[in-house]
Amino acid sequence: MIRSYSSGELSRESFQPHILVLPRLRTSVNFYSQMLNSRGCRFHPEFKLHCHPKTLFLPARSSSSNVKKKRYGGVLPSILRSLDSDKDLEKTLASVCENLSPKEQTLVLKEQSNCERLIRVFEFFKSLKDYVPNVIHYNIVLRALGRAQKWDKLRLCWIEMAKNGVLPTNNTYGMLVDVYGKAGMVKEALLWIKHMRLRGLYPDEVTMNTIVRVLKDAGDFDRADRFYKDWCIGRVDLNDIELDSMIDLDNGSGSAISFKQFLSTELFRTGGRSPVSGTSGSPDTESSVRKPRLTSTYNALIDLYGKADRLKDAADVFAEMLKSGVAMDTITFNTMIFTCGSHGHLLEAESLLAKMEERGIPPDTKTYNIFLSLYAGAGNIEAALEYYRKIRKVGLFPDIVTHRAVLHILCERNMVQEAETVIEEMEEFGIHIDEQSLPVIIKMYIAEGLLDRAKMLFEKFISDHELSSKTSAAIIDAYAERGLWSEAEAVFYGKRDSPRQNRSVLEYNVMVKAYGKAELYDKAYSLFKSMRNHGTWPDECTYNSLIQMFSGGDLVDHARDLLGEMRAAGLKPKCQTYSSLIACYARLGQLSDAVDVYQEMISAGVKPNEVVFGSLINGFAETGGVEEALQYFRMMEESGISANKIVLTSLIKAYTKVGCLEGAKRAYEKIKDLEGGPDIVASNSMLNLYADLGMVSEARCVFDNLKETGSADGFSFAAMMYLYKSMGMLDEAIDVADEMKQSGLLRDCSSYNKVMACYVTNGQLRGCGELLHEMINRKILPDMGTFNVLLTSLKKGGIPIEAVTQLESSYQEGKPYARQAVIITVFSLVGLHAYALKSCDAIIKAEIPLESFVYNAMIYAYGSSGQIDKALNVFMKMKDDGLEPDIITYINLVSCYGKAGMLEGVKRIYSQLKFGEIEPNESLFKAVMDAYKDANKPDLAELVNQEMKFAFEGPDYSESEIEGESKSEEDIVLDL
């Protein structure tokens, strides 16, 4: 929030470079129009700032850093030094303050910075024999009590003042309005004005100015404007402030009685006496028309209208100030510059700066701070930094606001080098980083990965300063956001110089958050249990965070226990806390427990929101509990909560579970009526339902709409592929698969699996192999679904069933190189030999023990690529390793022999098969046949075919022989 300028001083809000830029008003500044027109600026005819040469200007006020303490003459300096240094205050007062004049007494009172010491000094003066009570002394004491928010003592002082016959003045009331307003008690502040009117006093300009400022700071711009305009015509109407409408403030600020009781008794009782008879004739009474004459009043009004976005009124006040001859000061220009700049009129703000210097009112540090923040808010960092550099160029010094602002600007943009340059400049002038800037700088270092610098800066700061709990929590949170729990822990358990410095509940809460982000739930719970032992009690935030954290981590028992403990401690869980626990139970399928927490929530008087109902509806929808889901949907509507897309999508899901098309369509139509229409989740749910029901045209309509809006995702394409495959529309399924690939939606293993399965179903095995290679290249690891597709492709591609079975069992058993063996075989089958051989070469170079199935895959790969010598070398290595060939080895070998025309090799394996040395196997018979065909020996292939038929089908017996054989067998049985 940017600092605002009004009533002669900066606001107390911290200065940060964030500006709300409103729609631009084009502003006319007559005295600077030539320069602005040359820069291409256009102006709004209703917003004109006029400066005249004869206008009075006050000297610029110096920056706060240059303000010198007022010096006194005579004995006062030594008296004040004695009072500051001596511990026995009453003894010092008795020795040096008995013979002071009323004016000297006033100065001594004003110089007391501590409220308690001021009261003691005042009590001493009142004890003097010749002391005469006066309103100035009481004003000083009342102001100090108000600033310290000691309201009971203030009321007693007021009563004492009345008893002593000291009547309040305009200054008294203005001061009371000021202290109550700054304490945030705006209504009470206005009641002092109501009391003032009952006493016959009319607010002077200073008091009016104070009231306007209090209302402005409270954001009540209309009332501030109305009060000012009423004051100008001699009317102060506060009839809308009634005592009976006030909230009782009993003990709200440590009070024994309420403010209402106080005003209705003591204030109005003492206020019943008018201090002056015939005040109606006074020039300060009602009905007198008046105009403000103080510079501070105009400054406050300009700031008021600027904050209220009434730029024309601000300009009118500025013009009236000039017209009335009211002297301007630095604050006037600062306020007007801020008003123009914060509404986007930076050229006008620049023109005001030029005119300010032209009229002999040099800008102060605050002026440059305003421009620094304005340009930062507008995104012009170079201009902002230029104003930072200008401060020293013109002979001023950056203040704490300047350094805080420029560091925030640089750190929020992670401009490390520039920020460190500013820090070095500060160190050269002996200026330390202020506490508010420390978390911002550390956050920048963390974002840039410069953890060592962050740690060094933190340790350097705490070696010289005591860190507040708020700042410590901000630093812990900066680490927590990045998941750096150990670094956050180091700050949390860091140095504590003061015995008073127990860690605050805020620090515990952000440390719990740090553990939660890192999913270190045990540490978070342990920290929570240790809080009370260290004098810190958990608050609602602690419990809410832990319950939500444990619910998110599915630690539902811990979360439920904490909820009970929280309620037993008298703390009220938030709706979000109940919601997280309900969602956890629903997610885990423990719906009865979810309903119990819902009932507990209702009994605790916490109103459920759409998230609570959505979790319950979705939970029942997932388990097919349509009736229960609809029941909570009706309850949600009855409670006045409109169904959102998430809830309606859950309903569609519930209807889908039971195949209720009409119910799903009704929910989908409701989603269409919501802003933005159906989202991808709802559309995919309907698409999935249509696919399950085989409704091609309806599904295609939803799918086409998703593609037109660019919303179709991997699930949408997968659902359409599934639908087309299930309906036997394989060409359409392939088209969708190709489209999905071209759309760049193959991003994970699941999406690849679906498209590869579609290719395999349609017999496009090479396309499957190419996708497999692409998947591996993108470092997407194949999962079980991938290997199921690959094994299916091997079966469809004609690989012997024995080889597929061997690879499948090896993969399922998790044997070494089983995955590589499957992939090698697939690449070889579809003709992607280069990829297969690359893997084979890598395995051979590894020189590690292998099992038979790996050797078999490599023999097949080399053989199918035509590299017979390498295939045979692999076979020899297999034998050297002591592994006997199995049926798959023989199948692969005989294939290699046939392709190489090595008939002796084929005959040798066939002879072993024929004479029983190798167990008869249909796949091996077929491999021998294919080998003879490859060797151009079809006659031998036919002989093998006949032998295979004899081996597996037996001799060709006639029907009569079979019947006879059956009869004889039956006779034997009967004989037995």
Side-chain angles (χ1 to χ4, degrees):
M1 170 137 354
I2 191 165
R3 288 175 72 96
S4 59
Y5 298 76
S6 64
S7 302
E9 62 181 7
L10 288 171
S11 75
R12 290 163 294 165
E13 298 172 3
S14 64
F15 180 84
Q16 294 183 17
H18 299 294
I19 304 298
L20 177 61
V21 180
L22 300 179
R24 180 173 178 80
L25 287 172
R26 291 167 292 176
T27 310
S28 175
V29 185
N30 288 350
F31 56 77
Y32 215 60
S33 60
Q34 289 184 352
M35 183 196 76
L36 294 181
N37 284 331
S38 68
R39 294 169 69 177
C41 182
R42 296 182 296 171
F43 308 103
H44 195 289
E46 294 183 352
F47 183 21
K48 299 181 180 181
L49 304 177
H50 301 278
C51 259
H52 301 288
K54 295 182 180 180
T55 303
L56 295 176
F57 293 91
L58 294 179
R61 299 188 183 186
S62 59
S63 299
S64 58
S65 57
N66 297 328
V67 174
K68 295 181 179 179
K69 192 173 182 178
K70 186 175 180 180
R71 296 181 181 273
Y72 300 112
V75 298
L76 273 180
S78 63
I79 292 174
L80 293 174
R81 282 195 298 273
S82 298
L83 292 174
D84 286 340
S85 60
D86 291 349
K87 294 182 179 179
D88 193 341
L89 182 63
E90 280 70 20
K91 182 178 178 181
T92 306
L93 288 168
S95 63
V96 298
C97 294
E98 284 193 345
N99 299 314
L100 297 179
S101 67
K103 182 177 180 181
E104 289 171 329
Q105 290 175 347
T106 301
L107 294 175
V108 170
L109 287 170
K110 286 177 65 177
E111 288 298 320
Q112 302 307 307
S113 58
N114 181 279
C115 182
E116 295 299 330
R117 290 175 64 86
L118 171 62
I119 299 300
R120 290 163 66 186
V121 172
F122 185 50
E123 290 298 326
F124 172 79
F125 287 154
K126 288 192 296 180
S127 69
L128 297 175
K129 185 177 180 181
D130 57 349
Y131 177 75
V132 178
N134 66 83
V135 71
I136 296 175
H137 289 183
Y138 275 103
N139 285 351
I140 294 170
V141 175
L142 288 170
R143 181 185 295 277
L145 292 170
R147 285 177 173 173
Q149 298 191 18
K150 298 181 181 294
W151 307 118
D152 285 337
K153 290 185 178 180
L154 182 146
R155 295 166 191 173
L156 292 172
C157 183
W158 175 270
I159 294 167
E160 177 190 295
M161 178 179 170
K163 287 180 179 177
N164 289 334
V166 179
L167 297 172
T169 63
N170 246 297
N171 287 344
T172 311
Y173 284 108
M175 174 273 299
L176 289 169
V177 170
D178 179 64
V179 294
Y180 273 88
K182 285 178 178 175
M185 302 165 70
V186 178
K187 187 174 288 188
E188 292 81 352
L190 295 179
L191 284 169
W192 282 109
I193 299 303
K194 187 164 186 175
H195 180 261
M196 178 184 187
R197 294 298 300 123
L198 290 174
R199 299 206 65 160
L201 288 176
Y202 191 81
D204 62 11
E205 186 175 343
V206 174
T207 305
M208 178 274 292
N209 187 354
T210 304
I211 297 165
V212 169
R213 179 177 51 78
V214 167
L215 291 169
K216 169 179 67 69
D217 291 345
D220 198 347
F221 303 131
D222 290 339
R223 177 176 280 180
D225 175 53
R226 189 166 63 249
F227 186 88
Y228 162 68
K229 289 177 178 175
D230 285 348
W231 179 87
C232 288
I233 61 174
R235 182 176 66 197
V236 174
D237 181 11
L238 292 173
N239 290 330
D240 56 339
I241 301 294
E242 296 294 340
L243 285 174
D244 291 338
S245 67
M246 289 183 60
I247 298 173
D248 233 17
L249 298 177
D250 293 316
N251 299 318
S253 55
S255 305
I257 61 171
S258 71
F259 192 83
K260 171 183 171 181
Q261 293 168 327
F262 177 55
L263 282 179
S264 62
T265 55
E266 299 297 338
L267 279 181
F268 283 101
R269 182 170 61 79
T270 58
R273 303 191 304 275
S274 177
V276 181
S277 61
T279 53
S280 60
S282 169
D284 280 338
T285 57
E286 282 193 67
S287 77
S288 299
V289 177
R290 55 185 52 76
K291 291 178 64 176
R293 303 300 305 166
L294 298 177
T295 301
S296 60
T297 302
Y298 285 96
N299 292 346
L301 291 171
I302 292 170
D303 192 48
L304 164 67
Y305 293 128
K307 282 185 168 62
D309 296 332
R310 293 165 58 174
L311 221 57
K312 182 180 181 301
D313 288 332
D316 289 345
V317 171
F318 189 70
E320 179 62 29
M321 188 178 186
L322 299 169
K323 180 181 176 182
S324 302
V326 177
M328 293 181 172
D329 61 6
T330 302
I331 296 168
T332 310
F333 278 98
N334 283 351
T335 308
M336 201 63 207
I337 287 168
F338 170 73
T339 299
C340 290
S342 62
H343 288 81
H345 310 303
L346 286 169
L347 293 182
E348 291 82 347
E350 293 275 7
S351 72
L352 286 167
L353 175 63
K355 181 54 63 177
M356 183 179 182
E357 294 171 333
E358 179 186 314
R359 291 296 174 178
I361 304 181
D364 61 5
T365 300
K366 298 178 182 69
T367 313
Y368 291 100
N369 287 347
I370 295 172
F371 277 106
L372 193 158
S373 64
L374 290 174
Y375 277 111
N380 191 341
I381 305 305
E382 186 53 44
L385 296 179
E386 181 59 31
Y387 271 99
Y388 167 69
R389 292 187 283 266
K390 275 184 181 180
I391 294 175
R392 292 192 189 279
K393 288 180 183 177
V394 300
L396 296 171
F397 292 93
D399 57 15
I400 188 171
V401 175
T402 315
H403 289 126
R404 188 182 301 154
V406 75
L407 286 174
H408 279 228
I409 291 168
L410 297 172
C411 293
E412 286 179 354
R413 291 160 179 80
N414 294 335
M415 299 169 70
V416 177
Q417 185 175 348
E418 293 82 353
E420 290 184 338
T421 300
V422 172
I423 294 171
E424 289 171 6
E425 290 176 0
M426 291 170 63
E427 291 175 346
E428 287 176 9
F429 287 93
I431 302 170
H432 299 290
I433 295 169
D434 75 299
E435 189 172 332
Q436 290 187 36
S437 298
L438 183 65
V440 181
I441 301 170
I442 289 177
K443 188 175 181 180
M444 173 190 69
Y445 281 141
I446 293 170
E448 292 297 302
L450 303 172
L451 300 183
D452 290 341
R453 293 195 208 179
K455 181 181 178 182
M456 190 183 306
L457 177 66
F458 175 73
E459 290 177 347
K460 180 180 178 182
F461 189 91
I462 62 173
S463 66
D464 299 323
H465 303 83
E466 184 176 309
L467 206 63
S468 70
S469 293
K470 184 177 180 182
T471 305
S472 175
I475 295 170
I476 295 169
D477 194 51
Y479 283 115
E481 284 294 330
R482 297 279 178 166
L484 302 168
W485 65 270
S486 60
E487 289 81 359
E489 198 176 58
V491 176
F492 180 78
Y493 289 111
K495 175 182 172 185
R496 286 289 193 277
D497 287 336
S498 171
R500 172 209 66 78
Q501 272 195 297
N502 288 331
R503 294 174 186 87
S504 69
V505 68
L506 178 61
E507 290 173 275
Y508 275 98
N509 288 345
V510 291
M511 195 61 232
V512 165
K513 173 184 174 180
Y515 288 139
K517 282 265 188 181
E519 297 184 1
L520 298 171
Y521 303 124
D522 289 342
K523 278 184 169 288
Y525 190 69
S526 176
L527 182 66
F528 163 73
K529 299 301 286 185
S530 71
M531 287 179 70
R532 293 184 180 88
N533 296 335
H534 293 90
T536 305
W537 289 82
D539 60 7
E540 286 187 0
C541 180
T542 316
Y543 280 105
N544 284 325
S545 297
L546 281 166
I547 294 168
Q548 292 172 35
M549 176 199 307
F550 288 142
S551 297
D554 289 345
L555 300 173
V556 70
D557 292 335
H558 277 324
R560 187 67 180 272
D561 291 343
L562 282 171
L563 180 65
E565 184 180 325
M566 181 182 186
R567 295 194 63 188
L571 301 175
K572 187 174 182 180
K574 297 195 303 184
C575 178
Q576 187 178 354
T577 300
Y578 283 109
S579 173
S580 65
L581 188 52
I582 291 169
C584 181
Y585 275 129
R587 188 167 56 250
L588 296 174
Q590 300 177 27
L591 294 174
S592 61
D593 292 309
V595 172
D596 289 343
V597 176
Y598 170 78
Q599 295 296 341
E600 184 178 332
M601 177 184 185
I602 298 300
S603 65
V606 180
K607 186 177 180 181
N609 59 12
E610 65 275 8
V611 179
V612 173
F613 285 113
S615 298
L616 290 167
I617 292 168
N618 189 62
F620 283 111
E622 287 287 350
T623 58
V626 180
E627 289 302 321
E628 293 87 348
L630 289 174
Q631 175 190 345
Y632 282 102
F633 179 71
R634 286 190 292 269
M635 290 168 63
M636 184 184 75
E637 289 189 318
E638 289 169 2
S639 65
I641 299 174
S642 300
N644 57 23
K645 292 181 183 179
I646 297 173
V647 171
L648 291 171
T649 302
S650 296
L651 278 182
I652 294 174
K653 191 186 301 181
Y655 285 124
T656 301
K657 291 280 185 181
V658 295
C660 180
L661 177 61
E662 291 305 315
K665 287 173 71 174
R666 283 196 302 270
Y668 192 62
E669 290 301 317
K670 286 185 179 181
I671 295 179
K672 287 182 178 180
D673 294 334
L674 298 177
E675 184 179 354
D679 59 11
I680 183 63
V681 178
S683 296
N684 279 345
S685 297
M686 284 304 299
L687 185 58
N688 189 52
L689 177 58
Y690 287 138
D692 286 341
L693 298 176
M695 301 173 69
V696 175
S697 59
E698 290 83 353
R700 184 180 290 161
C701 181
V702 175
F703 182 61
D704 289 343
N705 183 60
L706 286 173
K707 288 195 295 182
E708 287 173 10
T709 58
S711 304
D713 61 6
F715 184 89
S716 314
F717 282 92
M720 284 307 295
M721 284 189 289
Y722 164 76
L723 172 60
Y724 284 136
K725 282 198 299 179
S726 63
M727 300 299 291
M729 303 168 68
L730 297 183
D731 290 340
E732 287 81 356
I734 287 295
D735 289 341
V736 173
D738 290 338
E739 193 175 350
M740 181 178 181
K741 181 181 176 183
Q742 292 164 9
S743 300
L745 292 172
L746 298 181
R747 297 168 185 157
D748 55 20
C749 194
S750 176
S751 57
Y752 272 100
N753 292 347
K754 289 179 172 65
V755 177
M756 288 164 63
C758 190
Y759 282 138
V760 170
T761 301
N762 202 40
Q764 297 185 14
L765 302 184
R766 186 177 178 89
C768 173
E770 289 171 347
L771 281 177
L772 174 63
H773 180 255
E774 179 184 308
M775 184 178 177
I776 294 170
N777 269 358
R778 292 178 62 181
K779 302 191 184 317
I780 299 174
L781 293 176
D783 61 6
M784 183 178 292
T786 313
F787 282 97
N788 287 337
V789 173
L790 297 181
L791 291 167
T792 302
S793 71
L794 293 178
K795 292 173 185 176
K796 293 203 73 170
I799 298 293
I801 190 63
E802 293 84 356
V804 178
T805 302
Q806 186 182 68
L807 289 171
E808 186 173 10
S809 63
S810 300
Y811 170 74
Q812 290 174 350
E813 293 170 17
K815 292 183 177 181
Y817 289 99
R819 296 160 66 92
Q820 290 88 333
V822 174
I823 292 171
I824 288 170
T825 309
V826 169
F827 282 149
S828 299
L829 172 68
V830 301
L832 298 174
H833 300 297
Y835 305 144
L837 298 183
K838 184 178 179 182
S839 296
C840 291
D841 293 341
I843 293 173
I844 291 171
K845 286 179 182 177
E847 295 185 353
I848 57 174
L850 302 172
E851 294 192 41
S852 297
F853 71 89
V854 184
Y855 282 113
N856 290 339
M858 290 195 293
I859 294 170
Y860 173 72
Y862 284 122
S864 61
S865 67
Q867 299 187 32
I868 306 302
D869 291 342
K870 285 191 175 183
L872 297 178
N873 286 338
V874 170
F875 173 63
M876 295 306 295
K877 188 175 187 310
M878 177 181 176
K879 294 193 72 173
D880 291 342
D881 288 344
L883 297 175
E884 291 298 326
D886 57 19
I887 196 68
I888 300 153
T889 314
Y890 287 121
I891 290 172
N892 292 336
L893 278 177
V894 80
S895 177
C896 290
Y897 293 146
K899 289 178 180 178
M902 300 169 67
L903 290 176
E904 289 302 319
V906 178
K907 288 179 180 178
R908 184 169 60 252
I909 293 175
Y910 176 57
S911 176
Q912 292 174 305
L913 176 63
K914 184 176 180 181
F915 294 107
E917 296 178 30
I918 299 175
E919 186 177 345
N921 178 273
E922 187 173 356
S923 296
L924 182 54
F925 270 111
K926 290 180 179 178
V928 172
M929 289 167 53
D930 291 338
Y932 278 131
K933 290 177 183 177
D934 289 338
N936 200 23
K937 296 293 183 180
D939 51 339
L940 296 178
E942 182 58 30
L943 287 174
V944 174
N945 184 36
Q946 294 298 325
E947 183 67 28
M948 181 180 69
K949 286 182 180 180
F950 181 81
F952 291 99
E953 296 178 12
D956 188 12
Y957 297 112
S958 66
E959 242 179 70
S960 59
E961 290 174 319
I962 294 173
E963 287 176 4
E965 185 178 350
S966 299
K967 251 185 194 178
S968 62
E969 289 177 354
E970 190 178 54
D971 291 339
I972 292 171
V973 173
L974 290 174
D975 290 341
L976 291 174

